[in-house]
Amino acid sequence: MNGQTSHQQSKDGRHDDDAALTEFLASLMDYTPTIPDELVEHYLAKSGFQCPDIRLTRLVAVATQKFIADVATDALQQCKARQSAVVKDKRDKQQKDKRLILTMEDLSRALREYGVNVKHQEYFADSPSAGLDSVSRDE
Amino acid sequence: MSDGGEAEGRRDEHNNSIIRSGASNYGRAISRIAVAQVCESIGFEGFDESALDSLADIVIRYLCDLGKTSKFYANLAGRTECNVFDVAQGLEDLGMPQGFPGASEIHTDCVVSSGAVREIKEYVETAEEIPFAQPVQRFPERKLIPSFLQMGETPSSKHIPAWLPAFPDPHTYVRTPVWNERVSDPRTDKIELARQHRKAERSLLSLQQRLLCNGSSVAATSAGPDDGGNLVEVNKMENPFLANPLQAGERCFTS
């Protein structure tokens, strides 16, 4: 008995879910994602994803756009935090960057939470002994 | 296919710089623009080149990973074509490291109530729409060789099905001897060659003479400007473009 009622409920629930799903996919078609469909289709085709339905491509594009937006928001917060920290020290220096620029440092910190390890070389030296003191260089 | 091979090669060797094909450069450039647009809407006013390039590269990898994961779930269910449930499960997989609400209730019957899809729904409702800046063509362009049926030909042998691409025309691969129609006489050839040499020498000589004449005329007038009236002529002469035009018959040009 209990099994039957729960089965009945799950059936109704599934019907509602289907309606919600189709509604969601229809709403996707209204929204134009920033990433063009052709680009998404190219890379999905390269990785073996095969689907003639354009709503799925849009879903993937929107998901990727959300990912970029999340990463960018985190990076922006890092950038703003750094700017406010600097301004506190030197109030006279008004010429501190008012413009918010996406730098490699902010990006790598923001991406670390997403499990992406982006390490940027701080400087490049032309020989292994560059920057060492003269004693060791002579050797 | 060569494209598939290249993609796999790139995934295996992340650090090596492989010669990039045209399609990948184009895709990278487009993804750069899209990423820049999204970041601009978030609030950034400027970008570091390397940061933008890295983020564009990461976006492309995210796309490929999502495609791969969805394909994996579709194959697991015994299908070759993906559907929305595969994509939703792929999204949940990719969202695991950060966590999303409802992560403990994944793999339920309903897809729409799953956390990852719910977050996307919220994003679609709240975020503003930024269409891509320029129209994008379908890429990569593929030149399709028409099949036998399309060409209206029948294949030469029975073992070749008609829906395969047609063979090229016979004149492109059958070697036919080419006969030289012109009769070559070595004597007349030598005479012609000598005549052309003489012509070249003559025109060179005449050019040299002309240059010398111009140079000497400039030198002669600038040597001694006695009258005031001559000064005007001197100024004119120094600039060869403003020199007095030649009178008819003053100098004859030999061809």
Side-chain angles (χ1 to χ4, degrees):
Chain A
M1 298 294 266
N2 282 342
Q4 272 186 351
T5 46
S6 66
H7 183 64
Q8 190 72 22
Q9 277 170 355
S10 67
K11 253 197 184 169
D12 288 339
R14 210 169 286 177
H15 182 69
D16 289 335
D17 295 335
D18 283 344
L21 188 60
T22 38
E23 202 185 294
F24 171 51
L25 289 176
S27 76
L28 266 185
M29 286 314 290
D30 289 333
Y31 185 87
T32 317
T34 309
I35 307 178
D37 283 337
E38 289 81 7
L39 184 80
V40 175
E41 273 174 14
H42 172 68
Y43 284 110
L44 286 181
K46 246 193 184 185
S47 55
F49 181 99
Q50 196 179 349
C51 186
D53 199 355
I54 193 158
R55 294 176 298 178
L56 278 190
T57 341
R58 287 277 167 97
L59 176 62
V60 171
V62 169
T64 318
Q65 190 178 336
K66 179 177 171 299
F67 172 73
I68 306 173
D70 288 343
V71 170
T73 321
D74 288 345
L76 189 70
Q77 282 171 358
Q78 297 273 349
C79 189
K80 282 188 181 161
R82 176 139 20 99
Q83 275 191 6
S84 64
V86 171
V87 166
K88 262 185 217 161
D89 298 337
K90 312 172 184 177
R91 293 223 182 119
D92 303 330
K93 222 176 182 184
Q94 284 249 319
Q95 58 138 51
K96 185 59 193 167
D97 283 320
K98 287 170 198 156
R99 300 181 72 213
L100 298 160
I101 301 191
L102 175 70
T103 56
M104 208 53 204
E105 224 180 292
D106 297 332
L107 186 64
S108 66
R109 264 196 224 141
L111 280 172
R112 206 170 296 162
E113 288 180 16
Y114 290 82
V116 181
N117 203 359
V118 180
K119 266 198 224 156
H120 194 59
Q121 274 284 29
E122 287 179 9
Y123 60 89
F124 295 96
D126 49 1
S127 72
S129 61
L132 294 174
D133 40 317
S134 55
V135 176
S136 45
R137 208 182 298 157
D138 285 338
E139 287 174 16
Chain B
M1 273 186 38
S2 59
D3 268 340
E6 193 212 343
E8 272 160 343
R10 193 169 313 140
R11 259 180 238 131
D12 290 337
E13 311 156 0
H14 291 300
N15 296 327
N16 293 0
S17 61
I18 302 172
I19 298 169
R20 295 175 183 155
S21 69
S24 73
N25 267 346
Y26 186 67
R28 230 168 261 268
I30 293 184
S31 122
R32 246 173 76 115
I33 299 175
V35 164
Q37 277 187 277
V38 172
C39 292
E40 197 184 16
S41 79
I42 299 281
F44 277 109
E45 285 146 14
F47 305 96
D48 257 358
E49 280 265 351
S50 55
L52 189 61
D53 280 339
S54 314
L55 196 51
D57 195 31
I58 288 168
V59 161
I60 289 175
R61 280 181 205 219
Y62 186 87
L63 275 175
C64 291
D65 277 349
L66 191 51
K68 241 189 357 174
T69 323
S70 315
K71 178 198 75 158
F72 166 75
Y73 278 114
N75 290 347
L76 193 62
R79 287 178 272 113
T80 51
E81 280 193 5
C82 304
N83 59 23
V84 67
F85 304 105
D86 303 324
V87 174
Q89 280 190 324
L91 283 171
E92 279 173 10
D93 264 11
L94 287 178
M96 282 305 183
Q98 303 90 273
F100 50 88
S104 57
E105 303 164 352
I106 52 174
H107 302 303
T108 56
D109 289 331
C110 172
V111 153
V112 184
S113 69
S114 78
V117 179
R118 228 183 313 150
E119 281 191 350
I120 293 182
K121 214 167 148 187
E122 283 166 16
Y123 180 74
V124 168
E125 279 155 21
T126 54
E128 50 174 288
E129 200 171 311
I130 323 152
F132 191 68
Q134 285 164 23
V136 178
Q137 251 190 343
R138 219 193 146 75
F139 73 99
E141 295 265 349
R142 292 216 185 275
K143 248 197 295 185
L144 287 175
I145 304 173
S147 67
F148 282 107
L149 288 169
Q150 285 169 348
M151 296 271 282
E153 294 173 354
T154 45
S156 45
S157 314
K158 269 193 212 162
H159 66 276
I160 305 173
W163 47 264
L164 282 180
F167 283 142
D169 295 332
H171 72 262
T172 56
Y173 57 84
V174 172
R175 193 196 149 94
T176 48
V178 175
W179 300 108
N180 192 359
E181 306 263 339
R182 274 187 311 143
V183 176
S184 60
D185 186 12
R187 194 165 156 269
T188 47
D189 284 343
K190 264 191 225 167
I191 292 171
E192 181 67 27
L193 199 64
R195 195 180 74 85
Q196 283 179 356
H197 271 152
R198 276 199 305 272
K199 190 172 170 185
E201 278 175 19
R202 242 180 290 147
S203 42
L204 195 61
L205 267 173
S206 64
L207 173 69
Q208 276 187 350
Q209 275 175 4
R210 240 181 299 152
L211 286 173
L212 278 173
C213 282
N214 274 344
S216 64
S217 66
V218 169
T221 48
S222 64
D226 300 323
D227 307 333
N230 269 351
L231 277 173
V232 179
E233 280 185 3
V234 164
N235 287 336
K236 276 193 195 163
M237 276 305 185
E238 277 174 8
N239 188 348
F241 295 104
L242 300 176
N244 289 327
L246 294 171
Q247 301 303 320
E250 199 172 298
R251 199 174 289 157
C252 65
F253 296 94
T254 55
S255 63

